[in-house]
Short mmCIF file of all heavy atoms in Angstrom, two decimals:
data_model
loop_
_atom_site.label_atom_id
_atom_site.label_comp_id
_atom_site.label_asym_id
_atom_site.label_seq_id
_atom_site.Cartn_x
_atom_site.Cartn_y
_atom_site.Cartn_z
N LYS A 2 0.83 -1.19 0.00
CA LYS A 2 0.00 0.00 0.00
C LYS A 2 0.87 1.25 0.00
O LYS A 2 1.92 1.26 0.61
CB LYS A 2 -0.92 0.02 1.21
CG LYS A 2 -1.99 -1.03 1.16
CD LYS A 2 -2.93 -0.85 2.32
CE LYS A 2 -3.99 -1.91 2.25
NZ LYS A 2 -4.93 -1.81 3.33
N ILE A 3 0.39 2.27 -0.64
CA ILE A 3 1.10 3.53 -0.70
C ILE A 3 0.60 4.42 0.44
O ILE A 3 -0.59 4.54 0.66
CB ILE A 3 0.88 4.21 -2.05
CG1 ILE A 3 1.47 3.31 -3.15
CG2 ILE A 3 1.50 5.60 -2.09
CD1 ILE A 3 1.10 3.72 -4.54
N GLU A 4 1.51 5.02 1.17
CA GLU A 4 1.16 5.85 2.32
C GLU A 4 1.21 7.34 1.95
O GLU A 4 2.09 7.77 1.22
CB GLU A 4 2.14 5.60 3.47
CG GLU A 4 2.21 4.15 3.90
CD GLU A 4 1.13 3.77 4.88
OE1 GLU A 4 0.65 4.66 5.60
OE2 GLU A 4 0.76 2.59 4.91
N TYR A 5 0.26 8.10 2.45
CA TYR A 5 0.24 9.55 2.26
C TYR A 5 0.11 10.22 3.62
O TYR A 5 -0.55 9.70 4.51
CB TYR A 5 -0.95 9.98 1.39
CG TYR A 5 -0.76 9.66 -0.05
CD1 TYR A 5 -1.40 8.58 -0.62
CD2 TYR A 5 0.06 10.43 -0.85
CE1 TYR A 5 -1.22 8.26 -1.95
CE2 TYR A 5 0.25 10.12 -2.18
CZ TYR A 5 -0.40 9.05 -2.72
OH TYR A 5 -0.22 8.75 -4.03
N LYS A 6 0.71 11.38 3.75
CA LYS A 6 0.54 12.15 4.97
C LYS A 6 -0.87 12.72 4.98
O LYS A 6 -1.39 13.14 3.96
CB LYS A 6 1.56 13.29 5.02
CG LYS A 6 2.99 12.81 5.11
CD LYS A 6 3.95 13.98 5.17
CE LYS A 6 5.37 13.48 5.24
NZ LYS A 6 6.33 14.57 5.26
N THR A 7 -1.50 12.73 6.16
CA THR A 7 -2.88 13.20 6.25
C THR A 7 -3.01 14.68 5.95
O THR A 7 -4.07 15.13 5.54
CB THR A 7 -3.46 12.91 7.64
OG1 THR A 7 -2.62 13.50 8.63
CG2 THR A 7 -3.58 11.42 7.89
N GLU A 8 -1.95 15.45 6.14
CA GLU A 8 -2.03 16.88 5.88
C GLU A 8 -1.80 17.24 4.40
O GLU A 8 -1.95 18.38 4.01
CB GLU A 8 -1.05 17.67 6.76
CG GLU A 8 0.41 17.35 6.56
CD GLU A 8 0.92 16.17 7.38
OE1 GLU A 8 0.15 15.55 8.11
OE2 GLU A 8 2.12 15.89 7.26
N SER A 9 -1.46 16.26 3.58
CA SER A 9 -1.27 16.54 2.16
C SER A 9 -2.60 16.41 1.41
O SER A 9 -3.47 15.66 1.83
CB SER A 9 -0.22 15.61 1.55
OG SER A 9 -0.70 14.29 1.53
N ALA A 10 -2.74 17.14 0.35
CA ALA A 10 -3.95 17.09 -0.47
C ALA A 10 -3.56 16.90 -1.92
O ALA A 10 -2.57 17.47 -2.39
CB ALA A 10 -4.75 18.36 -0.30
N ARG A 11 -4.31 16.11 -2.63
CA ARG A 11 -4.08 15.86 -4.06
C ARG A 11 -5.42 15.85 -4.77
O ARG A 11 -6.44 15.51 -4.20
CB ARG A 11 -3.37 14.52 -4.27
CG ARG A 11 -1.97 14.49 -3.71
CD ARG A 11 -1.33 13.15 -4.05
NE ARG A 11 0.04 13.14 -3.62
CZ ARG A 11 1.08 13.29 -4.41
NH1 ARG A 11 0.92 13.46 -5.70
NH2 ARG A 11 2.30 13.25 -3.94
N THR A 12 -5.37 16.17 -6.04
CA THR A 12 -6.56 16.09 -6.87
C THR A 12 -6.77 14.65 -7.30
O THR A 12 -5.81 13.94 -7.57
CB THR A 12 -6.38 16.97 -8.11
OG1 THR A 12 -6.17 18.31 -7.68
CG2 THR A 12 -7.59 16.92 -9.00
N ALA A 13 -8.02 14.21 -7.36
CA ALA A 13 -8.33 12.86 -7.83
C ALA A 13 -9.31 12.93 -8.99
O ALA A 13 -10.18 13.79 -9.02
CB ALA A 13 -8.92 12.03 -6.70
N PHE A 14 -9.14 12.05 -9.94
CA PHE A 14 -10.05 11.91 -11.06
C PHE A 14 -10.72 10.55 -10.94
O PHE A 14 -10.06 9.56 -10.63
CB PHE A 14 -9.29 11.98 -12.39
CG PHE A 14 -8.61 13.31 -12.61
CD1 PHE A 14 -7.30 13.50 -12.22
CD2 PHE A 14 -9.30 14.35 -13.19
CE1 PHE A 14 -6.67 14.71 -12.42
CE2 PHE A 14 -8.69 15.58 -13.39
CZ PHE A 14 -7.36 15.76 -13.00
N VAL A 15 -12.02 10.49 -11.21
CA VAL A 15 -12.76 9.23 -11.12
C VAL A 15 -13.33 8.91 -12.50
O VAL A 15 -13.99 9.74 -13.11
CB VAL A 15 -13.91 9.30 -10.10
CG1 VAL A 15 -14.63 7.96 -10.01
CG2 VAL A 15 -13.41 9.73 -8.74
N PHE A 16 -13.05 7.70 -12.98
CA PHE A 16 -13.55 7.24 -14.27
C PHE A 16 -14.51 6.08 -14.06
O PHE A 16 -14.22 5.17 -13.27
CB PHE A 16 -12.40 6.80 -15.18
CG PHE A 16 -11.50 7.93 -15.58
CD1 PHE A 16 -10.34 8.19 -14.87
CD2 PHE A 16 -11.82 8.74 -16.66
CE1 PHE A 16 -9.51 9.23 -15.23
CE2 PHE A 16 -10.99 9.79 -17.03
CZ PHE A 16 -9.84 10.03 -16.31
N SER A 17 -15.61 6.09 -14.76
CA SER A 17 -16.56 4.98 -14.74
C SER A 17 -16.11 3.95 -15.78
O SER A 17 -15.86 4.31 -16.93
CB SER A 17 -17.96 5.50 -15.08
OG SER A 17 -18.88 4.45 -15.12
N VAL A 18 -15.99 2.69 -15.36
CA VAL A 18 -15.51 1.63 -16.25
C VAL A 18 -16.47 0.44 -16.19
O VAL A 18 -17.21 0.28 -15.23
CB VAL A 18 -14.08 1.19 -15.89
CG1 VAL A 18 -13.10 2.35 -16.04
CG2 VAL A 18 -14.01 0.62 -14.48
N GLU A 19 -16.43 -0.39 -17.22
CA GLU A 19 -17.30 -1.56 -17.25
C GLU A 19 -16.88 -2.59 -16.22
O GLU A 19 -17.70 -3.12 -15.48
CB GLU A 19 -17.27 -2.17 -18.64
CG GLU A 19 -18.29 -3.27 -18.82
CD GLU A 19 -18.38 -3.74 -20.26
OE1 GLU A 19 -18.25 -2.91 -21.17
OE2 GLU A 19 -18.58 -4.95 -20.45
N SER A 20 -15.57 -2.89 -16.14
CA SER A 20 -15.06 -3.89 -15.22
C SER A 20 -13.85 -3.34 -14.46
O SER A 20 -12.77 -3.19 -15.04
CB SER A 20 -14.65 -5.17 -15.97
OG SER A 20 -13.98 -6.05 -15.09
N ALA A 21 -14.04 -3.06 -13.18
CA ALA A 21 -12.95 -2.56 -12.36
C ALA A 21 -11.84 -3.60 -12.22
O ALA A 21 -10.66 -3.27 -12.28
CB ALA A 21 -13.47 -2.14 -10.98
N SER A 22 -12.20 -4.86 -12.07
CA SER A 22 -11.20 -5.92 -11.89
C SER A 22 -10.32 -6.09 -13.13
O SER A 22 -9.11 -6.23 -13.04
CB SER A 22 -11.87 -7.24 -11.54
OG SER A 22 -12.53 -7.14 -10.30
N ALA A 23 -10.96 -6.09 -14.30
CA ALA A 23 -10.20 -6.27 -15.54
C ALA A 23 -9.24 -5.10 -15.76
O ALA A 23 -8.07 -5.31 -16.12
CB ALA A 23 -11.15 -6.40 -16.73
N LEU A 24 -9.71 -3.88 -15.53
CA LEU A 24 -8.84 -2.72 -15.71
C LEU A 24 -7.74 -2.69 -14.66
O LEU A 24 -6.59 -2.38 -14.96
CB LEU A 24 -9.64 -1.43 -15.68
CG LEU A 24 -8.83 -0.17 -15.95
CD1 LEU A 24 -8.16 -0.22 -17.32
CD2 LEU A 24 -9.71 1.07 -15.85
N TYR A 25 -8.06 -3.05 -13.42
CA TYR A 25 -7.06 -3.11 -12.35
C TYR A 25 -5.91 -4.02 -12.78
O TYR A 25 -4.74 -3.64 -12.69
CB TYR A 25 -7.71 -3.64 -11.06
CG TYR A 25 -6.76 -3.79 -9.91
CD1 TYR A 25 -6.60 -2.77 -8.98
CD2 TYR A 25 -6.00 -4.95 -9.73
CE1 TYR A 25 -5.72 -2.90 -7.91
CE2 TYR A 25 -5.13 -5.09 -8.68
CZ TYR A 25 -5.00 -4.06 -7.77
OH TYR A 25 -4.13 -4.18 -6.72
N ASN A 26 -6.25 -5.22 -13.25
CA ASN A 26 -5.21 -6.18 -13.65
C ASN A 26 -4.38 -5.65 -14.82
O ASN A 26 -3.16 -5.80 -14.84
CB ASN A 26 -5.85 -7.52 -14.00
CG ASN A 26 -6.42 -8.21 -12.78
OD1 ASN A 26 -5.95 -8.03 -11.66
ND2 ASN A 26 -7.46 -8.99 -12.98
N LYS A 27 -5.03 -5.02 -15.77
CA LYS A 27 -4.32 -4.49 -16.94
C LYS A 27 -3.36 -3.36 -16.54
O LYS A 27 -2.21 -3.33 -16.97
CB LYS A 27 -5.32 -3.97 -17.97
CG LYS A 27 -4.67 -3.50 -19.26
CD LYS A 27 -5.70 -3.06 -20.26
CE LYS A 27 -6.22 -4.30 -20.96
NZ LYS A 27 -7.07 -3.98 -22.12
N LEU A 28 -3.82 -2.44 -15.69
CA LEU A 28 -2.98 -1.33 -15.26
C LEU A 28 -1.82 -1.81 -14.38
O LEU A 28 -0.71 -1.29 -14.46
CB LEU A 28 -3.81 -0.27 -14.52
CG LEU A 28 -4.85 0.45 -15.36
CD1 LEU A 28 -5.68 1.38 -14.49
CD2 LEU A 28 -4.20 1.21 -16.51
N LYS A 29 -2.09 -2.81 -13.54
CA LYS A 29 -1.03 -3.37 -12.70
C LYS A 29 0.04 -4.03 -13.56
O LYS A 29 1.24 -3.86 -13.32
CB LYS A 29 -1.62 -4.36 -11.70
CG LYS A 29 -0.64 -4.82 -10.66
CD LYS A 29 -1.34 -5.62 -9.58
CE LYS A 29 -0.33 -6.02 -8.53
NZ LYS A 29 -0.95 -6.78 -7.45
N GLU A 30 -0.38 -4.79 -14.58
CA GLU A 30 0.57 -5.40 -15.50
C GLU A 30 1.39 -4.35 -16.25
O GLU A 30 2.56 -4.56 -16.55
CB GLU A 30 -0.17 -6.28 -16.52
CG GLU A 30 -0.68 -7.57 -15.95
CD GLU A 30 -1.50 -8.37 -16.96
OE1 GLU A 30 -1.42 -8.06 -18.17
OE2 GLU A 30 -2.22 -9.28 -16.53
N PHE A 31 0.76 -3.21 -16.53
CA PHE A 31 1.43 -2.11 -17.22
C PHE A 31 2.47 -1.44 -16.32
O PHE A 31 3.36 -0.76 -16.79
CB PHE A 31 0.38 -1.09 -17.69
CG PHE A 31 0.93 0.02 -18.52
CD1 PHE A 31 1.43 -0.20 -19.79
CD2 PHE A 31 0.96 1.32 -18.03
CE1 PHE A 31 1.94 0.83 -20.55
CE2 PHE A 31 1.47 2.36 -18.78
CZ PHE A 31 1.96 2.11 -20.05
N GLY A 32 2.36 -1.66 -15.01
CA GLY A 32 3.36 -1.14 -14.08
C GLY A 32 2.93 0.06 -13.27
O GLY A 32 3.76 0.65 -12.57
N LEU A 33 1.65 0.43 -13.34
CA LEU A 33 1.20 1.55 -12.50
C LEU A 33 1.18 1.12 -11.04
O LEU A 33 0.92 -0.05 -10.73
CB LEU A 33 -0.18 2.03 -12.93
CG LEU A 33 -0.26 2.72 -14.28
CD1 LEU A 33 -1.68 3.19 -14.55
CD2 LEU A 33 0.69 3.90 -14.36
N LYS A 34 1.44 2.05 -10.14
CA LYS A 34 1.42 1.76 -8.70
C LYS A 34 -0.02 1.80 -8.20
O LYS A 34 -0.73 2.78 -8.37
CB LYS A 34 2.26 2.79 -7.95
CG LYS A 34 3.73 2.70 -8.28
CD LYS A 34 4.53 3.71 -7.51
CE LYS A 34 5.99 3.65 -7.93
NZ LYS A 34 6.78 4.68 -7.27
N MET A 35 -0.43 0.70 -7.59
CA MET A 35 -1.78 0.58 -7.05
C MET A 35 -1.79 0.99 -5.58
O MET A 35 -0.86 0.67 -4.83
CB MET A 35 -2.29 -0.85 -7.20
CG MET A 35 -2.34 -1.32 -8.63
SD MET A 35 -3.34 -0.20 -9.61
CE MET A 35 -3.41 -1.04 -11.13
N ILE A 36 -2.85 1.64 -5.17
CA ILE A 36 -2.97 2.08 -3.78
C ILE A 36 -3.57 0.96 -2.92
O ILE A 36 -3.24 0.82 -1.76
CB ILE A 36 -3.78 3.38 -3.70
CG1 ILE A 36 -2.98 4.49 -4.40
CG2 ILE A 36 -4.08 3.76 -2.26
CD1 ILE A 36 -3.67 5.82 -4.49
N PHE A 37 -4.43 0.12 -3.51
CA PHE A 37 -5.05 -1.00 -2.81
C PHE A 37 -4.58 -2.31 -3.44
O PHE A 37 -4.17 -2.34 -4.59
CB PHE A 37 -6.57 -0.90 -2.87
CG PHE A 37 -7.12 0.32 -2.19
CD1 PHE A 37 -7.47 1.44 -2.92
CD2 PHE A 37 -7.25 0.36 -0.82
CE1 PHE A 37 -7.96 2.57 -2.30
CE2 PHE A 37 -7.74 1.49 -0.18
CZ PHE A 37 -8.09 2.61 -0.93
N ASP A 38 -4.68 -3.40 -2.68
CA ASP A 38 -4.27 -4.72 -3.15
C ASP A 38 -5.21 -5.29 -4.20
O ASP A 38 -4.84 -6.17 -4.96
CB ASP A 38 -4.16 -5.71 -1.99
CG ASP A 38 -3.05 -5.32 -1.02
OD1 ASP A 38 -2.06 -4.71 -1.46
OD2 ASP A 38 -3.18 -5.63 0.17
N LYS A 39 -6.45 -4.81 -4.22
CA LYS A 39 -7.45 -5.26 -5.18
C LYS A 39 -8.61 -4.25 -5.16
O LYS A 39 -8.72 -3.45 -4.23
CB LYS A 39 -7.96 -6.66 -4.83
CG LYS A 39 -8.67 -6.73 -3.48
CD LYS A 39 -9.10 -8.15 -3.17
CE LYS A 39 -9.82 -8.17 -1.83
NZ LYS A 39 -10.31 -9.49 -1.49
N PRO A 40 -9.49 -4.28 -6.17
CA PRO A 40 -10.64 -3.38 -6.15
C PRO A 40 -11.51 -3.62 -4.91
O PRO A 40 -11.68 -4.77 -4.47
CB PRO A 40 -11.40 -3.74 -7.44
CG PRO A 40 -10.34 -4.27 -8.35
CD PRO A 40 -9.40 -5.02 -7.44
N VAL A 41 -12.03 -2.55 -4.36
CA VAL A 41 -12.84 -2.60 -3.14
C VAL A 41 -14.31 -2.76 -3.52
O VAL A 41 -14.82 -2.01 -4.36
CB VAL A 41 -12.64 -1.31 -2.31
CG1 VAL A 41 -13.52 -1.32 -1.08
CG2 VAL A 41 -11.17 -1.15 -1.93
N ASP A 42 -14.99 -3.72 -2.89
CA ASP A 42 -16.42 -3.93 -3.11
C ASP A 42 -17.19 -2.82 -2.39
O ASP A 42 -17.18 -2.74 -1.16
CB ASP A 42 -16.84 -5.31 -2.59
CG ASP A 42 -18.27 -5.66 -2.90
OD1 ASP A 42 -19.05 -4.78 -3.32
OD2 ASP A 42 -18.62 -6.84 -2.72
N MET A 43 -17.84 -1.95 -3.16
CA MET A 43 -18.57 -0.82 -2.59
C MET A 43 -20.05 -1.17 -2.36
O MET A 43 -20.81 -0.34 -1.90
CB MET A 43 -18.49 0.39 -3.53
CG MET A 43 -17.06 0.84 -3.83
SD MET A 43 -16.14 1.31 -2.35
CE MET A 43 -16.92 2.85 -1.96
N GLY A 44 -20.45 -2.39 -2.68
CA GLY A 44 -21.83 -2.81 -2.55
C GLY A 44 -22.61 -2.49 -3.82
O GLY A 44 -22.15 -1.74 -4.68
N SER A 45 -23.76 -3.06 -3.96
CA SER A 45 -24.65 -2.84 -5.11
C SER A 45 -23.96 -3.16 -6.44
O SER A 45 -24.28 -2.55 -7.47
CB SER A 45 -25.19 -1.42 -5.13
OG SER A 45 -25.89 -1.12 -3.95
N GLY A 46 -22.96 -4.05 -6.43
CA GLY A 46 -22.28 -4.44 -7.66
C GLY A 46 -21.20 -3.48 -8.13
O GLY A 46 -20.67 -3.65 -9.22
N ASP A 47 -20.88 -2.48 -7.33
CA ASP A 47 -19.84 -1.51 -7.70
C ASP A 47 -18.52 -1.86 -7.04
O ASP A 47 -18.47 -2.20 -5.86
CB ASP A 47 -20.24 -0.10 -7.27
CG ASP A 47 -21.41 0.45 -8.06
OD1 ASP A 47 -21.51 0.15 -9.27
OD2 ASP A 47 -22.22 1.19 -7.47
N PHE A 48 -17.44 -1.75 -7.81
CA PHE A 48 -16.08 -1.97 -7.32
C PHE A 48 -15.26 -0.74 -7.65
O PHE A 48 -15.43 -0.13 -8.71
CB PHE A 48 -15.48 -3.23 -7.96
CG PHE A 48 -16.11 -4.48 -7.46
CD1 PHE A 48 -17.33 -4.91 -7.96
CD2 PHE A 48 -15.49 -5.22 -6.46
CE1 PHE A 48 -17.92 -6.06 -7.48
CE2 PHE A 48 -16.08 -6.38 -5.97
CZ PHE A 48 -17.30 -6.80 -6.48
N TRP A 49 -14.34 -0.37 -6.74
CA TRP A 49 -13.59 0.88 -6.84
C TRP A 49 -12.13 0.62 -6.51
O TRP A 49 -11.81 -0.20 -5.66
CB TRP A 49 -14.20 1.86 -5.85
CG TRP A 49 -13.44 3.10 -5.57
CD1 TRP A 49 -13.41 4.23 -6.33
CD2 TRP A 49 -12.64 3.37 -4.42
NE1 TRP A 49 -12.62 5.18 -5.73
CE2 TRP A 49 -12.14 4.67 -4.55
CE3 TRP A 49 -12.29 2.63 -3.29
CZ2 TRP A 49 -11.30 5.26 -3.60
CZ3 TRP A 49 -11.46 3.22 -2.35
CH2 TRP A 49 -10.99 4.52 -2.52
N PHE A 50 -11.24 1.32 -7.22
CA PHE A 50 -9.83 1.27 -6.86
C PHE A 50 -9.14 2.56 -7.26
O PHE A 50 -9.66 3.34 -8.05
CB PHE A 50 -9.12 0.06 -7.48
CG PHE A 50 -8.90 0.12 -8.97
CD1 PHE A 50 -7.73 0.64 -9.50
CD2 PHE A 50 -9.85 -0.36 -9.84
CE1 PHE A 50 -7.52 0.69 -10.86
CE2 PHE A 50 -9.65 -0.33 -11.21
CZ PHE A 50 -8.49 0.20 -11.72
N GLN A 51 -7.97 2.78 -6.67
CA GLN A 51 -7.15 3.94 -6.97
C GLN A 51 -5.76 3.48 -7.38
O GLN A 51 -5.27 2.46 -6.90
CB GLN A 51 -6.98 4.83 -5.73
CG GLN A 51 -8.24 5.45 -5.22
CD GLN A 51 -7.98 6.23 -3.94
OE1 GLN A 51 -7.30 5.76 -3.04
NE2 GLN A 51 -8.54 7.42 -3.86
N CYS A 52 -5.14 4.26 -8.26
CA CYS A 52 -3.76 4.02 -8.63
C CYS A 52 -3.10 5.37 -8.86
O CYS A 52 -3.76 6.41 -8.83
CB CYS A 52 -3.65 3.13 -9.86
SG CYS A 52 -4.29 3.86 -11.37
N LEU A 53 -1.80 5.34 -9.06
CA LEU A 53 -1.06 6.56 -9.35
C LEU A 53 -0.66 6.57 -10.81
O LEU A 53 -0.17 5.55 -11.33
CB LEU A 53 0.21 6.64 -8.49
CG LEU A 53 -0.01 6.68 -6.98
CD1 LEU A 53 1.34 6.69 -6.27
CD2 LEU A 53 -0.81 7.89 -6.58
N ASP A 54 -0.86 7.70 -11.48
CA ASP A 54 -0.37 7.80 -12.85
C ASP A 54 1.14 8.04 -12.79
O ASP A 54 1.71 8.18 -11.70
CB ASP A 54 -1.13 8.88 -13.63
CG ASP A 54 -0.78 10.30 -13.23
OD1 ASP A 54 0.13 10.54 -12.41
OD2 ASP A 54 -1.44 11.22 -13.76
N PRO A 55 1.83 8.04 -13.92
CA PRO A 55 3.29 8.21 -13.90
C PRO A 55 3.78 9.49 -13.23
O PRO A 55 4.92 9.55 -12.76
CB PRO A 55 3.66 8.18 -15.38
CG PRO A 55 2.59 7.35 -16.01
CD PRO A 55 1.34 7.72 -15.26
N CYS A 56 2.93 10.52 -13.13
CA CYS A 56 3.31 11.78 -12.47
C CYS A 56 2.97 11.79 -10.99
O CYS A 56 3.23 12.77 -10.30
CB CYS A 56 2.62 12.95 -13.16
SG CYS A 56 3.18 13.20 -14.85
N GLY A 57 2.35 10.72 -10.48
CA GLY A 57 2.01 10.63 -9.06
C GLY A 57 0.62 11.12 -8.73
O GLY A 57 0.26 11.20 -7.56
N ASN A 58 -0.21 11.44 -9.74
CA ASN A 58 -1.59 11.85 -9.49
C ASN A 58 -2.45 10.63 -9.18
O ASN A 58 -2.25 9.56 -9.76
CB ASN A 58 -2.17 12.57 -10.73
CG ASN A 58 -1.42 13.82 -11.05
OD1 ASN A 58 -1.29 14.71 -10.24
ND2 ASN A 58 -0.90 13.89 -12.26
N ILE A 59 -3.40 10.80 -8.28
CA ILE A 59 -4.33 9.72 -7.94
C ILE A 59 -5.42 9.65 -9.01
O ILE A 59 -6.07 10.65 -9.31
CB ILE A 59 -4.97 9.94 -6.56
CG1 ILE A 59 -3.90 9.93 -5.48
CG2 ILE A 59 -6.03 8.88 -6.30
CD1 ILE A 59 -4.41 10.35 -4.11
N ILE A 60 -5.61 8.46 -9.55
CA ILE A 60 -6.67 8.21 -10.51
C ILE A 60 -7.58 7.14 -9.90
O ILE A 60 -7.10 6.13 -9.38
CB ILE A 60 -6.13 7.71 -11.87
CG1 ILE A 60 -5.02 8.61 -12.38
CG2 ILE A 60 -7.25 7.56 -12.87
CD1 ILE A 60 -5.45 9.99 -12.77
N GLU A 61 -8.90 7.37 -9.94
CA GLU A 61 -9.86 6.42 -9.37
C GLU A 61 -10.72 5.83 -10.48
O GLU A 61 -11.02 6.49 -11.47
CB GLU A 61 -10.76 7.12 -8.37
CG GLU A 61 -10.01 7.74 -7.22
CD GLU A 61 -10.95 8.37 -6.18
OE1 GLU A 61 -12.15 8.02 -6.14
OE2 GLU A 61 -10.48 9.22 -5.42
N PHE A 62 -11.10 4.57 -10.28
CA PHE A 62 -11.96 3.87 -11.23
C PHE A 62 -13.10 3.21 -10.48
O PHE A 62 -12.88 2.63 -9.41
CB PHE A 62 -11.15 2.81 -11.99
CG PHE A 62 -10.05 3.42 -12.80
CD1 PHE A 62 -8.78 3.55 -12.26
CD2 PHE A 62 -10.27 3.86 -14.10
CE1 PHE A 62 -7.74 4.12 -13.01
CE2 PHE A 62 -9.25 4.43 -14.84
CZ PHE A 62 -7.99 4.57 -14.29
N LEU A 63 -14.29 3.30 -11.01
CA LEU A 63 -15.49 2.72 -10.40
C LEU A 63 -16.27 1.98 -11.47
O LEU A 63 -16.52 2.55 -12.55
CB LEU A 63 -16.36 3.83 -9.79
CG LEU A 63 -17.66 3.41 -9.15
CD1 LEU A 63 -17.40 2.58 -7.90
CD2 LEU A 63 -18.50 4.62 -8.81
N GLY A 64 -16.61 0.74 -11.21
CA GLY A 64 -17.38 -0.03 -12.18
C GLY A 64 -17.78 -1.38 -11.64
O GLY A 64 -17.59 -1.67 -10.46
N GLY A 65 -18.31 -2.19 -12.52
CA GLY A 65 -18.71 -3.55 -12.14
C GLY A 65 -17.50 -4.41 -11.85
O GLY A 65 -16.37 -3.99 -12.06
N LYS A 66 -17.77 -5.61 -11.38
CA LYS A 66 -16.67 -6.51 -11.02
C LYS A 66 -15.83 -6.78 -12.24
O LYS A 66 -14.68 -6.71 -12.31
CB LYS A 66 -17.20 -7.82 -10.46
CG LYS A 66 -16.09 -8.75 -10.04
CD LYS A 66 -16.57 -9.77 -9.08
CE LYS A 66 -15.44 -10.70 -8.74
NZ LYS A 66 -15.07 -10.72 -7.38
#
């Protein structure tokens, strides 16, 4: 897991995707740093995860399993 100081603030972008798990695996294989070990089950069939782009910005994805 990637640690952040609580006093720091960053902008986040959220993208809606068809399959959070499929995209998570593809981005991890591509070498992006993941913030969570796997997509988080948000309930109601929604899964969410965050990763860092190459510049260190937080990118979020929300979608089905």
Side-chain angles (χ1 to χ4, degrees):
K2 291 185 180 180
I3 297 169
E4 303 276 334
Y5 286 103
K6 295 180 181 179
T7 56
E8 62 274 1
S9 67
R11 294 183 176 257
T12 301
F14 297 93
V15 182
F16 294 95
S17 178
V18 298
E19 188 172 325
S20 171
S22 296
L24 184 59
Y25 178 94
N26 292 331
K27 184 177 278 190
L28 294 176
K29 189 171 182 179
E30 286 176 15
F31 185 69
L33 291 182
K34 294 181 183 176
M35 300 304 187
I36 295 176
F37 297 99
D38 294 331
K39 63 182 181 178
V41 177
D42 186 348
M43 302 300 287
S45 302
D47 291 324
F48 289 80
W49 167 81
F50 72 91
Q51 296 176 315
C52 66
L53 299 177
D54 72 6
C56 294
N58 298 304
I59 297 171
I60 310 293
E61 300 183 20
F62 298 92
L63 178 67
K66 182 160 178 119

